[in-house]
Amino acid sequence: MPLLGGIRPPIAILCVLILALAGLTAKVLGPGKNTVVSQAVLSSQQYFAEDGAIALRASIDERVTDLERTATALSSGDPVEPERILADLSQAYQKWTGTTVLDLESGEVLAARGETIPLSWLDKSVLSGDQALTPRMVRLETGDVRLMTMALLDWQDRPQQILIASSGLSVPALNLGPFRSMAVVAQGGEILGTAGFERAAALNSDQERKELAFLHKQMSRLSEQASVRTEQHPVRAKEPGARGYPGVSGTLVGGEYNGRVTTAGYASLSSSDPEEKKSVAAGLGLTVVAMLPVVMQEATEGERELFGLAAAGVLILLGLLAVVVLWTALQRPVLRLFLESRRLARGDLTRPVSVPRWGEPARIGQALERLRRQLRDDEDGGAQDASPPARRKILIGGRGPLVLTAVVLLLWCVPVGLLLNRTDGSVSVPSTMVNDQRERTDLIADRLRRALNEAQADLVSTSQLIGAEDTAGAEKALKAVLTQHTRYQALYVVGENGEVGARAGADPHAWSAEEEPVPVRVTGKGGKQPVIQAAAPVAGQKGSTLVGEIRVEFLNSLLNRPGLGEVRVVDSAAETIAASDGFLAFEKLPRRALTDLVRAGNVQVGAGPVENALFLREGKGVTVAAAAPFSGGGVTADIGWTVVSWQDAQRFEIAAYEREDRSILAGMLGFAAVILCLGWIYLVVVRPLRAIAAGAEKLADGDLKTVLYPRYQDEVGAVVRSLELLRQQAQAHRLNQTRRLAEPPSGVGRR
């Protein structure tokens, strides 16, 4: 018999699957190791570190792009005095701690502003080769580390000049909350900048100072571990097929102090999309580490964990009962038929056939017994064939044992999948998750505000460069800006009378001059999508304005972050402008509670609006929501926008939700095993037996012309082959009987 043929393989596989599922149930639902920190809290720290790395990468890349674009635009025009270059640069951007213009031939400093930039690091290797003019990290005499960004100023018939801008490598201005700290770490574990330890000056007790010293040591130790882990390749650091953050990220658990354990998330700086152009910041080898001390998790309830062991034991008992039913009602009768049919086919007709008690095997057994009597020419064979008593009985079909087995196994699958470990609205969610939701939402709001400020600053810088250009030259400059920055969908110059002059990109929308010019505005109400316009006056052209339309898709990409749920940007009327998922332009928020949360966040408290977060318990579900209005500096500080986020708490890796998910998974796996094995038995055993029973009964009734073809190479197929041999024997037997009747009796006609 083939390895996978017949009745025995599916029953054996069902036994194996039941034992495996019982072991899995006992493992995932039974007693487990006591973790000091919830996995949801650790994942949240990882997401926070990734957000910080993305913000730092975007900040560094933006500085490099702005400086290079400014240098390219200056080099393409008439020569500009060094002092004027630095003045215009500081007017458009306030992101550098110091700027310098240096003559390359003589090495003379032509102009300098802000922090003094040391030049001892500037050598031939910096100015030549494949890595020429790439950003470098330089340590000052004070011990601080600065990122030096360089760009070449090259005018015809004038010596080349180099524009150098220095900036700090501190953590981006994030809302870290009252206890979290963050660090920027170089290769080797050296900490270049920290944030969150500023409260040291406010400490009043020795206990608080000891705790702060402990956290400093933990940050140093965890930073060293993170720097080692981020040196591996991003593809090798993840599970096969895993997606998400393109760089290396993960979590760490540190020491315990005063009932709280330090947790950390780390993330290396990497390009936002590996298929796009390489990120300058990604090549610096920096890592962002976010550390948060959290209260140690209490031990899980022992009673719930015993449910898993009890469920595994019940599954084994029910599985044993199901296997006994299948063995008694199907496997044993089929094997008996196989042996009896083979015995008859070999010519052993002396012993009566052992007929099974029910189902199709009983019908086949009765037909075999009738065939045996016909082949033996029993005197009572005709009477037996005329009205066989067994054929008048109501027999249980082969589908009956399958239905009974399915019911027995579903008695375990349904309660485990639908009733065991069910949760409701009373599930306890760590307060850390609410705080992280609020702070990450505030981080998204800060990123969005900075992106809009950068867009408007780019327009200010570009407007100064195109002020003296003609239309053709202005369009060339606008196309260059549009190519470098994917945030714009259109750039155009609007005159005093409202007419559009130089333009690049998509078709412009209407722009109306206002008495109080608004640098960033939203229009397009009633259309398919909002129109976000940023503007800057064109230098030297009275009444002319450079307008840049920002793509909504660009804003949507800033909102799409894992572990944050659905994120939307709404205006002062709580109408949607951008979202991480699909949305309708200017639609309202889906819940009234979210609208109230947005309004509460915009209430002026102290210096201005503040971010808020809360639990929404509706029915059996729990939702964590947060709202962060735009605040801080820049032209968009008072734009009135708010970033609101919410997500179902079931997405958190909390023990209660994990147990519920595992219970559902166990029930589904059990249901799949029932469908697989019982369906297998029905297709290869029960259904063929029904056809064989009908054929065997016709054969016993005298139909010797229908040939029986075996379709399976198993016990069922062997029974069919034996029936075909019996049919041939019956044909030969009948032919012999006919010949004997046709021959004259012995001695007739003799004298």
Side-chain angles (χ1 to χ4, degrees):
M1 300 299 172
L3 181 62
L4 296 181
I7 184 66
R8 287 169 288 191
I11 296 179
I13 291 178
L14 179 61
C15 295
V16 173
L17 291 179
I18 289 175
L19 292 176
L21 183 58
L24 181 64
T25 303
K27 180 176 179 59
V28 301
L29 297 182
K33 60 180 182 179
N34 294 327
T35 57
V36 295
V37 182
S38 171
Q39 184 60 40
V41 175
L42 291 176
S43 299
S44 183
Q45 307 318 309
Q46 179 179 350
Y47 293 145
F48 207 100
E50 292 174 358
D51 291 344
I54 291 174
L56 182 59
R57 176 193 57 78
S59 176
I60 294 175
D61 288 344
E62 194 70 37
R63 299 172 201 173
V64 176
T65 302
D66 291 339
L67 197 68
E68 291 179 348
R69 183 178 56 81
T70 301
T72 302
L74 289 173
S75 299
S76 61
D78 297 331
V80 182
E81 293 297 325
E83 286 290 345
R84 175 66 183 277
I85 295 174
L86 300 185
D88 293 343
L89 199 63
S90 60
Q91 182 180 355
Y93 306 102
Q94 293 83 33
K95 59 182 65 175
W96 291 295
T97 58
T99 53
T100 297
V101 176
L102 182 69
D103 188 292
L104 283 181
E105 290 186 1
S106 62
E108 179 184 358
V109 176
L110 303 179
R113 283 203 172 201
E115 182 181 63
T116 302
I117 297 178
L119 301 177
S120 57
W121 56 273
L122 196 60
D123 54 17
K124 185 178 180 180
S125 62
V126 178
L127 303 175
S128 60
D130 297 336
Q131 301 296 323
L133 301 182
T134 57
R136 306 296 174 93
M137 290 185 293
V138 177
R139 184 175 297 278
L140 304 181
E141 295 180 356
T142 58
D144 297 330
V145 177
R146 294 288 185 265
L147 178 66
M148 300 298 176
T149 308
M150 296 158 283
L152 187 65
L153 298 173
D154 189 8
W155 288 290
Q156 190 175 3
D157 300 331
R158 292 194 62 174
Q160 290 182 332
Q161 300 174 1
I162 183 172
L163 176 60
I164 305 175
S166 67
S167 56
L169 281 173
S170 59
V171 177
L174 309 178
N175 183 8
L176 301 178
F179 303 108
R180 180 181 282 106
S181 54
M182 188 173 283
V184 178
V185 184
Q187 292 179 344
E190 180 185 4
I191 297 178
L192 304 180
T194 61
F197 293 113
E198 294 82 1
R199 60 184 183 275
L203 300 180
N204 298 319
S205 65
D206 294 338
Q207 183 67 24
E208 291 176 339
R209 294 188 184 93
K210 291 180 180 179
E211 183 176 0
L212 182 62
F214 168 78
L215 293 178
H216 274 290
K217 293 181 179 179
Q218 289 295 306
M219 176 61 82
S220 299
R221 187 170 66 86
L222 295 175
S223 297
E224 292 178 359
Q225 297 178 11
S227 64
V228 173
R229 295 193 179 189
T230 53
E231 290 179 357
Q232 57 185 327
H233 195 276
V235 176
R236 298 178 181 175
K238 300 179 181 179
E239 295 293 333
R243 304 185 65 182
Y245 187 69
V248 180
S249 62
T251 59
L252 297 169
V253 178
E256 182 266 335
Y257 184 84
N258 197 21
R260 295 193 300 172
V261 61
T262 55
T263 63
Y266 63 89
S268 63
L269 272 65
S270 63
S271 177
S272 57
D273 188 349
E275 296 181 357
E276 296 180 359
K277 62 180 182 180
K278 293 183 178 181
S279 169
V280 175
L284 298 177
L286 301 178
T287 301
V288 173
V289 179
M291 187 181 71
L292 178 69
V294 297
V295 178
M296 298 180 63
Q297 181 175 276
E298 297 181 358
T300 57
E301 300 179 3
E303 296 181 358
R304 286 188 175 272
E305 293 179 342
L306 292 178
F307 290 163
L309 296 177
V314 171
L315 176 60
I316 293 177
L317 295 178
L318 293 178
L320 180 62
L321 177 60
V323 171
V324 169
V325 171
L326 293 176
W327 182 81
T328 304
L330 288 177
Q331 178 175 327
R332 187 178 179 185
V334 169
L335 294 178
R336 182 187 301 176
L337 284 178
F338 163 68
L339 296 175
E340 293 292 336
S341 63
R342 186 175 63 176
R343 177 176 65 85
L344 296 181
R346 292 177 177 177
D348 184 4
L349 305 176
T350 58
R351 190 173 68 253
V353 174
S354 177
V355 180
R357 295 182 179 180
W358 52 68
E360 286 79 7
R363 294 170 56 189
I364 299 173
Q366 293 169 8
L368 289 174
E369 175 61 19
R370 293 167 60 197
L371 288 171
R372 185 190 71 84
R373 293 192 176 190
Q374 293 174 11
L375 293 174
R376 281 178 54 87
D377 291 328
D378 288 349
E379 295 180 357
D380 58 345
Q384 178 74 14
D385 296 341
S387 59
R391 295 182 64 186
R392 294 196 297 266
K393 294 181 180 179
I394 300 176
L395 302 176
I396 300 175
R399 289 175 290 189
L402 294 183
V403 173
L404 179 60
T405 303
V407 170
V408 169
L409 294 178
L410 290 179
L411 287 177
W412 184 88
C413 300
V414 174
V416 168
L418 300 181
L419 301 178
L420 185 63
N421 292 326
R422 302 303 293 178
T423 58
D424 52 22
S426 62
V427 174
S428 177
V429 180
S431 59
T432 303
M433 304 304 300
V434 186
N435 298 333
D436 290 351
Q437 185 80 13
R438 178 183 62 247
E439 292 160 7
R440 293 188 65 202
T441 303
D442 183 67
L443 172 59
I444 296 294
D446 183 75
R447 285 186 59 199
L448 196 63
R449 179 186 61 83
R450 289 175 178 271
L452 294 176
N453 289 340
E454 288 287 346
Q456 202 274 338
D458 288 338
L459 295 179
V460 171
S461 177
T462 304
S463 65
Q464 295 175 358
L465 298 176
I466 68 172
E469 297 285 348
D470 55 6
T471 302
E475 288 187 349
K476 182 178 179 182
L478 294 181
K479 290 180 180 178
V481 175
L482 196 65
T483 303
Q484 292 178 353
H485 296 284
T486 59
R487 63 168 65 101
Y488 303 110
Q489 67 181 5
L491 291 170
Y492 47 91
V493 178
V494 180
E496 188 174 5
N497 55 0
E499 295 182 356
V500 177
R503 49 170 292 192
D507 295 335
H509 291 79
W511 173 268
S512 59
E514 300 178 356
E515 294 182 0
E516 296 183 1
V518 179
V520 179
R521 66 176 68 170
V522 181
T523 59
K525 204 164 188 178
K528 293 183 179 180
Q529 67 177 13
V531 179
I532 305 170
Q533 297 172 314
V538 179
Q541 299 182 16
K542 184 179 180 181
S544 296
T545 304
L546 175 60
V547 181
E549 293 185 5
I550 300 174
R551 297 187 304 111
V552 177
E553 294 79 9
F554 169 74
L555 301 182
N556 294 342
S557 65
L558 298 179
L559 305 178
N560 191 8
R561 290 294 303 134
L564 201 56
E566 187 171 352
V567 186
R568 291 194 182 187
V569 179
V570 297
D571 56 14
S572 56
E575 296 176 341
T576 304
I577 298 173
S580 58
D581 297 328
F583 72 101
L584 298 176
F586 301 101
E587 68 174 336
K588 295 291 186 179
L589 291 171
R591 299 185 186 179
R592 178 65 181 274
L594 297 176
T595 303
D596 296 338
L597 181 63
V598 171
R599 292 175 179 173
N602 283 278
V603 174
Q604 297 291 326
V605 178
V610 296
E611 67 280 356
N612 285 300
L614 48 77
F615 284 112
L616 299 177
R617 298 185 183 271
E618 299 176 352
K620 295 184 178 181
V622 181
T623 302
V624 178
F630 275 28
S631 60
V635 296
T636 58
D638 56 352
I639 196 174
W641 290 6
T642 301
V643 177
V644 57
S645 67
W646 67 93
Q647 63 176 323
D648 193 341
Q650 288 187 346
R651 297 184 179 182
F652 298 151
E653 296 175 283
I654 299 176
Y657 293 126
E658 288 182 343
R659 284 195 299 266
E660 180 181 16
D661 293 340
R662 291 169 181 172
S663 299
I664 295 174
L665 178 60
M668 294 178 64
L669 290 176
F671 184 76
V674 171
I675 296 297
L676 173 65
C677 296
L678 299 188
W680 186 356
I681 294 175
Y682 176 77
L683 292 177
V684 303
V685 177
V686 175
R687 190 170 67 174
L689 281 179
R690 293 171 63 85
I692 295 173
E697 289 174 346
K698 289 182 181 180
L699 178 60
D701 290 338
D703 182 8
L704 303 180
K705 295 182 179 180
T706 303
V707 179
L708 301 177
Y709 296 99
R711 297 183 179 180
Y712 302 95
Q713 300 297 322
D714 54 12
E715 297 92 345
V716 176
V719 172
V720 177
R721 287 192 296 272
S722 298
L723 286 173
E724 173 60 20
L725 294 175
L726 291 174
R727 184 191 69 82
Q728 296 174 8
Q729 294 177 15
Q731 276 185 335
H733 182 71
R734 178 177 295 182
L735 182 60
N736 292 333
Q737 284 183 336
T738 304
R739 289 177 179 177
R740 285 197 301 267
L741 293 175
E743 292 178 356
S746 175
V748 176
R750 295 183 180 180
R751 291 183 181 180

